């Protein structure tokens, strides 16, 4: 298999500092990260692409219009400016890399154009964050055997891990239209569940077993023609970025409804995803083989190529990059039993 | 429950004939039907809305630009002209009804403007038909107990009908991005399946149990705010139309992969749907209580309100009407075992 590692360059230099003071030492958004998202500035409902830098968001639309990008970076910025980021995500690795390199240069200490850019920064806390892309499909995978066994035990105590688990990626399509940006209020769903395991009939009411799962979100872009598989070696070219995802679940509803067709209403009321898309380039220094203390077992949970499951795409660019795939990280899955009425 | 029946009017008059000669006595597209779709005329790749009439398609975009509609009908046509039909579908019953009434008038024998309209007709066989709308979600329901038992027997001979079936609509999210217009070539999928029921490991290869199912497609439009249910009485207002759907399935792949999360790769390679959307108005004369010989059992299969399952919608008009829901009709479900290699 081809080496898909991303080359390290000046954008990864841990010594690089930004003239945006809050970025230096920022736990999420130092100048080495530069994730992309879609936001509305204070008082302006229109959506546009932005880049997180420290406590601020750089308005990518304004920066593009000011002529701060040339060549491949300008091409990439043009695709991104109007948000959603679908066309930009579908443009692939080179376009994304070029835009990142130029943004790093513009935001680094000592950069020219600093005063021009300063006027394009908005305080993040005053902005509204949106979904970064129009999501055409959303697939939830079982990607860790420990999670598969633990969850399986909730529903099938005697038979937690099914024989297919070790052969084929186990996943299901979720509801794409109820994926919402992190922070969106989620209403406790009502539905059918059994008051006891041997009850013959269900009751109807607010779920009593609302659960959350921290998962890894993988943004998949650049579709394939229906019926044409993506070779494993090319799968990573379709990964536009990463985020965290909260797979809300009504476990009592799920236990009642999930056979034979899988999770449905127990999951479809909401799925929260980070509004910021962290690029593969930003994560390059953490790639396996680079970080000495890297957790190989955990990394091994997420090596399924997207090829077998990357869906065919039929209706143009906006759709072409609209697949949201994810692999479960499940390093912090806990059941949350809240007994109150729905909020 | 409120009476949701659609009033009969002149558009339903069985005596009404069209000046489009091929429409009179046409098995699919008489002047009483007037389904909506999206097409490209011969030699013109641009997509626009159209109406099927006999062997022809009326170009709705041209008719709108020629000023043939006024009032509510013009509003509806304006939403539809550029296809996809999402905004038109989301506009609801009154807009759709007004446009239908005017189209019926324009296409009826004796209509003025006949020569103007004649120039806007394209021979259907020379046009390319597309998906009628951008599909944001696609849900497959078990809607007939006979089907549920028959299919259940394939996978669980001893326990075909599960206890939840009689209490809650059983469904799953399908892959929205591989729904394609009827007639699209479907490639036989490859995947994992077991050569015998007691095999410990699967084999990989072209499916040997490619199956099809004739189902009823229901186009759902006009979303609801996430967390706000649609009352049963209002559910029908979200039905934009009907069609037929082919739920392609790789049954051997399905049997191996479907537990515990439901059908996935066994279904996601393709789902074919009619490119024409038949309106609730067109079907009004067939509604229960009108047709004396109506099959009540079959109708009973499809009475689940969409309320409990209509998804929340977050990203604007194009998305608001992009739910494709369906109920299985399953009156002609047969297994098709083709032994040849994938085409």
């Amino acid at each position: 298999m081809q080496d898909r590692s991303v080359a390290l360059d000046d954008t990864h230099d841990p010594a690089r500092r930004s003239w945006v003071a809050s970025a230096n030492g920022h736990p999420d958004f130092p100048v080495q990260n530069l994730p992309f998202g879609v936001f509305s500035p204070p008082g302006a409902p229109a959506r546009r692409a932005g880049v997180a830098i420290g406590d601020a968001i750089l308005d990518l639309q304004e920066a593009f219009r000011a002529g701060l990008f040339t060549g491949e970076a300008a091409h990439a910025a043009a695709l991104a400016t109007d948000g959603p980021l679908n066309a930009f995500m579908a443009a692939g690795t080179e376009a994304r890399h070029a835009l990142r390199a130029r943004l790093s240069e513009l935001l680094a200490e000592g950069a020219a154009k600093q005063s021009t850019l300063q006027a394009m920064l908005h305080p993040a806390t005053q902005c509204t964050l949106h979904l970064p892309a129009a999501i055409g499909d959303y697939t939830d995978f079982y990607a860790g055997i420990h999670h598969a066994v633990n969850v399986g035990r909730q529903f099938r105590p005697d038979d937690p891990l099914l024989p297919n688990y070790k052969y084929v990626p186990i996943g299901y399509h979720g509801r794409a239209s109820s994926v919402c940006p992190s922070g969106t209020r989620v209403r406790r769903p009502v539905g059918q569940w059994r008051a006891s395991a041997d009850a013959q009939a269900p009751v109807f009411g607010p779920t009593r077993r609302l659960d959350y799962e921290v998962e890894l979100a993988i943004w998949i872009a650049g579709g394939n023609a229906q019926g044409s598989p993506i070779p494993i070696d090319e799968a990573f070219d379709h990964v536009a970025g990463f985020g965290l995802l909260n797979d809300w679940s009504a476990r009592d509803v799920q236990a009642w409804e999930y056979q034979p067709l899988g999770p449905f209403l127990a999951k479809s009321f909401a799925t929260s995803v980070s509004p910021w898309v962290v690029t593969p380039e930003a994560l390059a220094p953490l790639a396996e083989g680079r970080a000495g203390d890297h957790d190989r077992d955990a990394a091994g949970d997420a090596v399924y190529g997207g090829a077998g499951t990357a869906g065919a795409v039929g209706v143009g660019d906006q759709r072409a990059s609209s697949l949201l795939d994810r692999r479960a990280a499940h390093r912090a899955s806990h059941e949350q039993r809240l007994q109150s009425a729905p909020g």
Side-chain angles (χ1 to χ4, degrees), chain A residues 10-177:
Chain A
D10 290 348
T11 67
H12 302 103
D13 182 357
R16 178 166 281 193
R17 292 169 57 85
S18 174
W19 54 262
V20 181
S22 63
N24 300 316
H26 197 283
D28 294 322
F29 306 127
V31 71
Q32 290 80 10
N33 188 355
L34 303 176
F36 295 95
V38 173
F39 77 109
S40 300
R47 297 173 185 216
R48 73 271 311 269
V51 177
I53 177 76
D55 293 338
I57 300 174
L58 174 68
D59 189 324
L60 202 54
Q61 191 180 65
E62 287 185 25
F64 172 69
R65 290 183 181 163
L68 294 175
F69 307 108
T70 58
E72 186 75 4
H75 169 64
L79 294 175
T81 47
D82 294 330
L85 300 179
N86 296 58
F88 167 62
M89 286 178 163
T93 308
E94 281 181 39
R96 194 175 60 232
H97 187 263
L99 185 55
R100 170 183 164 83
R102 176 60 176 155
L103 286 165
S104 177
E105 193 175 85
L106 288 167
L107 292 165
E109 259 183 4
K113 309 282 186 188
Q114 187 172 328
S115 61
T116 307
L117 284 155
Q118 181 68 51
M120 301 170 182
L121 291 178
H122 302 279
T125 54
Q126 294 175 32
C127 297
T128 306
L129 289 162
H130 307 287
L131 280 180
I135 300 171
D137 277 307
Y138 149 50
T139 308
D140 185 6
F141 286 100
Y142 262 3
I145 195 167
H146 307 297
H147 171 72
V149 171
N150 287 337
V151 169
R153 203 168 276 141
Q154 290 188 41
F155 300 111
R156 297 173 307 278
D158 301 330
D159 188 22
L161 192 71
L162 298 173
N164 54 19
Y165 182 83
K166 294 190 176 179
Y167 291 94
V168 65
I170 299 297
Y172 67 94
H173 301 295
R175 185 179 286 277
S177 63

Side-chain angles (χ1 to χ4, degrees), chain A residues 173-297:
Chain A
H173 301 295
R175 185 179 286 277
S177 63
S178 50
V179 180
C180 54
S182 186
T184 302
R185 278 176 65 92
V186 171
R187 184 168 179 169
R188 179 184 294 264
V190 294
Q192 291 183 14
W193 41 272
R194 283 199 280 198
S196 64
D198 56 354
Q200 290 301 299
V203 296
F204 179 80
T207 176
R208 299 181 65 170
R209 293 184 59 205
L210 189 62
D211 194 7
Y212 60 88
E213 297 176 84
V214 179
E215 302 193 1
L216 177 65
I218 305 184
W219 294 89
I220 304 290
N224 50 325
Q226 201 158 345
S228 300
I230 296 172
I232 289 278
D233 274 356
E234 294 171 18
F236 197 68
D237 296 338
H238 293 263
V239 174
F242 302 89
L244 290 179
L245 184 146
N246 183 351
D247 176 22
W248 296 92
S249 307
R251 295 295 186 200
D252 43 7
V253 175
Q254 185 177 352
W256 170 239
E257 77 166 4
Y258 90 109
Q259 285 192 318
L261 299 181
F264 181 45
L265 301 173
K267 301 269 195 174
S268 61
F269 57 97
T271 307
S272 307
V273 71
S274 163
W276 292 112
V277 179
V278 176
T279 63
E281 290 72 40
L283 294 175
L286 307 174
E288 194 167 18
R290 287 216 175 91
D293 58 350
H294 193 263
D295 175 351
R296 282 167 183 278
D297 281 338

